[in-house]
Amino acid sequence: MKARNSNRSKTSLRRVSRRARRRKLLLIAGAVIILPLIGLYFFVSLYYHNHFFSNTSINGIDASNMTLEEAEDAINAEVKSYRLTIEGRNDIMDAIYGENIGLHTVFEGGIERLLEEQNAYAWPLSLMKSHELSINTMLEYDESILKLYIDQLSFFDEANVIEPENAYLSEYGENGYEIIPENPGAKIKKDMLEEAIVKAILSLEPKLSIEEAGCYEKPELLSDSPLLVNALNELNRIAGAKITYEFGEVTEVLDGSQISKWLSVDDNFKVHFEKEKIKEFVDYIGKTYNTFGKAREFKTSYGDVITVKGGDYGWWLNRAQEESELGELIESGSQVTKIPAYYQTAQRYGEDDIGDTYVEINLTAQHLFFYHEGELIVETDFVSGNVSKNYGTPTGTYPIQYKERNATLVGEDYETPVEYWMPFNRNIGLHDAPWRSEFGKNIYLTRGSHGCINMPPKAAKKVYEKIQRGVAVIVYELPGTENYEVKDKATQEKKEKVSEVENNESKIEDNADSGTENNTEKTSEKASKKKSKKKKAAEN
């Protein structure tokens, strides 16, 4: 039993001994690894007590792992060869050299302070980042000489100084109004450039872009200015209107080429539209195409071309309404073919605005013709206004105002029902007159109407069936077309001439060598026919 316990004790001792040895070996191994690392850490820390960390720059000059003296030498070398290249617009470049302006290094312990502020024991962390250091007072230069060199820079030559120009609105053209972009020019703000140059020199920057430094004067108004864009849109909306008028074969177009002359923009970019110009245009349309009440050349059914004055037929523009409607269309930028606003229209446009449907009234002959689409469909005698009572029917060209069945004509001393009423000159119109048994001749001289055209009922009915509102009624007098005997000197002279002709013919007949009674009768009959024709010519 004792022997067994002794063996167990020996085994336990051996196990403890092995564990101790392992522990010792591990401690030795750890010491072998850690102690060198610790030594290396302290060695590098000691190194960075008088060296700058890796990835260190001082005012842009690489000073990585340099001592104070090495950093100073590096900075001095950089300063000694320093050149600042200045880049401007239009490919213009210039340079300032450090040696020309007395550029030199003044350390005054600045670098030492940077090194002292560096935590040498934090060098492992410094390996992961860069260190950009700066000393504001490490460089000095001659300020007066620098200003002289700045004054002599080529950017300030008169030929290279270009004034900036604002964006502006173009005149009206094929593409309407356009924004002409601003011209940035090439004019430098001198004070700002001096500041930028000093900053670049003190940082030993190799290049300076005047553009990037923002040293150029800028236009006050750019092409994307809301004021400019809004004015442009309004101008193009109004000038984009296109109003087309068609007057028969003639076309009038009002578009931007004319409207643009009515537009202006003030200094605050407010668009002004001269609306009085619309009135001028509408007046032009009225003066050019109105035919209301004008004298007309008219070819009668007798073949005579006469001038008919008076009356209220024709195109009559409602200028106030047209001015209002046109203004709205222009301001909204509409593009339309417009029918003008009229008080009254005619049958067609052109010099002959009567057309081929009209009523022709010859007061002298007391005879009426009604043409419908160029075809004569009614021809009749009538009775017009009583001349002896000053009710004579006025001459002129008038439009049919309307037509009415079974109307009652009322005057101061009469009230007359008619079946077909077609007024054309206020209360004067065409109508049937069933109370009359005869028409034409000289009835109108003493037994005429109150001014209306009294027609046979059948003729009035036929005219009524075809006539429409606006059809022209041409009323005229044509001396020499009377269908009754006129007792005046001119007519008497015509009759005397006829009598003289008849007497001569009688003498010839009396002297003729006619051998038979039959021949005498034939000659007499022939002379009688000639006499009848001469009398009719004299009466007409």
Side-chain angles (χ1 to χ4, degrees), residues 78 145 200 238 260 283 311 327 349 367 372 407 454 464 474 481 522:
E78 187 73 20
I145 294 178
I238 298 173
S260 62
D283 285 344
Y349 289 107
H367 202 68
H372 183 265
N454 290 182
Y464 184 91
I474 304 98
T481 60
K522 287 182 179 180

Side-chain angles (χ1 to χ4, degrees), residues 294-535:
K294 78 167 188 176
R296 291 172 173 80
E297 295 297 310
F298 177 72
K299 185 175 182 179
T300 70
S301 296
Y302 302 88
D304 301 272
V305 177
I306 62 175
T307 299
V308 181
K309 298 179 180 179
D312 57 6
Y313 177 83
W315 298 101
W316 184 14
L317 184 67
N318 184 337
R319 300 192 185 195
Q321 183 178 340
E322 183 60 24
E323 184 179 341
S324 175
E325 292 178 2
L326 181 58
E328 291 178 3
L329 289 173
I330 293 173
E331 292 199 68
S332 65
S334 300
Q335 297 190 357
V336 296
T337 298
K338 187 180 187 308
I339 298 174
Y342 286 111
Y343 287 116
Q344 178 179 286
T345 62
Q347 292 298 295
R348 66 185 182 189
Y349 289 107
E351 189 65 25
D352 175 17
D353 60 352
I354 292 172
D356 52 11
T357 296
Y358 59 90
V359 178
E360 177 183 345
I361 295 176
N362 181 352
L363 295 176
T364 306
Q366 293 287 286
H367 202 68
L368 175 151
F369 304 88
F370 177 38
Y371 292 90
H372 183 265
E373 296 179 354
E375 180 184 355
L376 178 62
I377 63 172
V378 176
E379 181 178 358
T380 182
D381 286 339
F382 60 81
V383 176
S384 62
N386 191 327
V387 175
S388 65
K389 294 184 178 181
N390 293 322
Y391 293 153
T393 304
T395 59
T397 306
Y398 307 89
I400 291 291
Q401 297 167 2
Y402 61 91
K403 65 180 183 178
E404 182 181 355
R405 283 294 309 274
N406 300 319
T408 299
L409 310 183
V410 179
E412 292 181 0
D413 56 353
Y414 66 90
E415 185 173 328
T416 306
V418 297
E419 285 193 54
Y420 308 103
W421 171 233
M422 297 158 278
F424 59 83
N425 179 11
R426 298 183 181 180
N427 293 326
I428 296 175
L430 307 167
H431 64 78
D432 55 307
W435 58 86
R436 290 188 182 275
S437 59
E438 60 178 347
F439 299 86
K441 300 181 182 179
N442 61 353
I443 298 173
Y444 76 106
L445 295 176
T446 56
R447 293 181 292 120
S449 69
H450 286 78
C452 288
I453 303 300
N454 290 182
M455 300 175 62
K458 289 184 179 179
K461 178 177 183 296
K462 194 168 184 180
V463 171
Y464 184 91
E465 289 172 348
K466 291 291 185 179
I467 206 162
Q468 298 295 331
R469 182 179 184 274
V471 169
V473 179
I474 304 98
V475 185
Y476 62 86
E477 295 176 341
L478 187 60
T481 60
E482 299 86 350
N483 59 4
Y484 57 89
E485 184 176 357
V486 180
K487 296 181 180 180
D488 57 22
K489 183 177 180 180
T491 304
Q492 187 64 35
E493 288 176 353
K494 286 183 180 179
K495 288 185 176 181
E496 289 175 356
K497 289 182 179 179
V498 171
S499 298
E500 185 178 349
V501 171
E502 290 175 345
N503 291 333
N504 290 335
E505 289 178 345
S506 296
K507 290 179 180 179
I508 293 172
E509 290 171 355
D510 292 339
N511 294 329
D513 186 13
S514 54
T516 64
E517 184 178 352
N518 185 44
N519 287 340
T520 302
E521 289 175 353
K522 287 182 179 180
T523 302
S524 176
E525 182 180 351
K526 184 176 180 181
S528 178
K529 287 181 179 180
K530 287 183 179 181
K531 182 177 180 182
S532 175
K533 289 181 181 180
K534 295 296 183 179
K535 285 183 177 181

Side-chain angles (χ1 to χ4, degrees), residues 73-101:
D73 290 341
I75 293 171
N76 283 324
E78 187 73 20
V79 170
K80 186 176 181 180
S81 61
Y82 177 70
R83 168 182 170 174
L84 176 62
T85 301
I86 306 173
E87 300 174 343
R89 290 174 181 168
N90 304 319
D91 298 326
I92 299 174
M93 299 178 68
D94 213 330
I96 293 177
Y97 295 88
E99 60 182 358
N100 292 342
I101 60 172

Side-chain angles (χ1 to χ4, degrees), residues 75-86 94-105 139-147 149 153 197-198 200-206:
I75 293 171
N76 283 324
E78 187 73 20
V79 170
K80 186 176 181 180
S81 61
Y82 177 70
R83 168 182 170 174
L84 176 62
T85 301
I86 306 173
D94 213 330
I96 293 177
Y97 295 88
E99 60 182 358
N100 292 342
I101 60 172
L103 185 65
H104 60 280
T105 306
L139 294 176
E140 289 187 355
Y141 58 90
D142 190 316
E143 293 184 5
S144 60
I145 294 178
L146 176 60
K147 286 189 176 182
Y149 273 95
L153 289 173
I197 289 174
V198 169
I201 290 174
L202 293 178
S203 300
L204 296 179
E205 295 288 344

Side-chain angles (χ1 to χ4, degrees), residues 201-305:
I201 290 174
L202 293 178
S203 300
L204 296 179
E205 295 288 344
K207 289 184 180 180
L208 171 63
S209 169
I210 301 175
E211 189 80 62
E212 294 176 2
C215 298
Y216 281 109
E217 290 189 9
K218 297 178 180 178
E220 295 179 359
L221 189 65
L222 305 182
S223 56
D224 59 354
S225 164
L227 286 174
L228 206 57
V229 172
N230 291 339
L232 175 74
N233 291 338
E234 187 172 0
L235 286 170
N236 279 331
R237 186 190 75 247
I238 298 173
K242 183 178 181 181
I243 316 300
T244 303
Y245 292 90
E246 295 177 348
F247 300 99
E249 297 180 355
V250 180
T251 299
E252 295 280 355
V253 178
L254 178 62
D255 57 16
S257 60
Q258 182 68 27
I259 297 172
S260 62
K261 299 175 183 177
W262 306 347
L263 299 173
S264 61
V265 181
D266 63 22
D267 293 338
N268 296 318
F269 296 97
K270 183 178 180 181
V271 176
H272 296 276
F273 181 20
E274 296 182 66
K275 294 186 178 180
E276 59 271 18
K277 296 296 184 180
I278 299 178
K279 182 180 184 303
E280 291 179 11
F281 179 80
V282 171
D283 285 344
Y284 158 75
I285 292 296
K287 291 176 183 177
T288 305
Y289 298 101
N290 270 357
T291 58
F292 178 84
K294 78 167 188 176
R296 291 172 173 80
E297 295 297 310
F298 177 72
K299 185 175 182 179
T300 70
S301 296
Y302 302 88
D304 301 272
V305 177

Side-chain angles (χ1 to χ4, degrees), residues 112-183:
E112 287 87 340
R113 284 193 298 273
L114 292 177
L115 192 58
E116 289 172 1
E117 293 171 358
Q118 177 178 282
N119 184 1
Y121 296 104
W123 65 266
L125 297 176
S126 72
L127 299 175
M128 306 301 294
K129 59 183 180 179
S130 60
H131 309 275
E132 296 178 356
L133 308 178
S134 61
I135 304 176
N136 294 332
T137 59
M138 68 177 297
L139 294 176
E140 289 187 355
Y141 58 90
D142 190 316
E143 293 184 5
S144 60
I145 294 178
L146 176 60
K147 286 189 176 182
L148 288 174
Y149 273 95
I150 291 175
D151 289 340
Q152 295 173 8
L153 289 173
S154 55
F155 309 107
F156 297 107
D157 292 348
E158 186 177 348
N160 296 328
V161 176
I162 302 172
E163 292 284 344
E165 296 177 357
N166 289 334
Y168 63 95
L169 294 167
S170 71
E171 295 294 326
Y172 182 82
E174 292 183 0
N175 299 318
Y177 291 94
E178 298 178 280
I179 292 178
I180 305 302
E182 65 277 3
N183 181 356

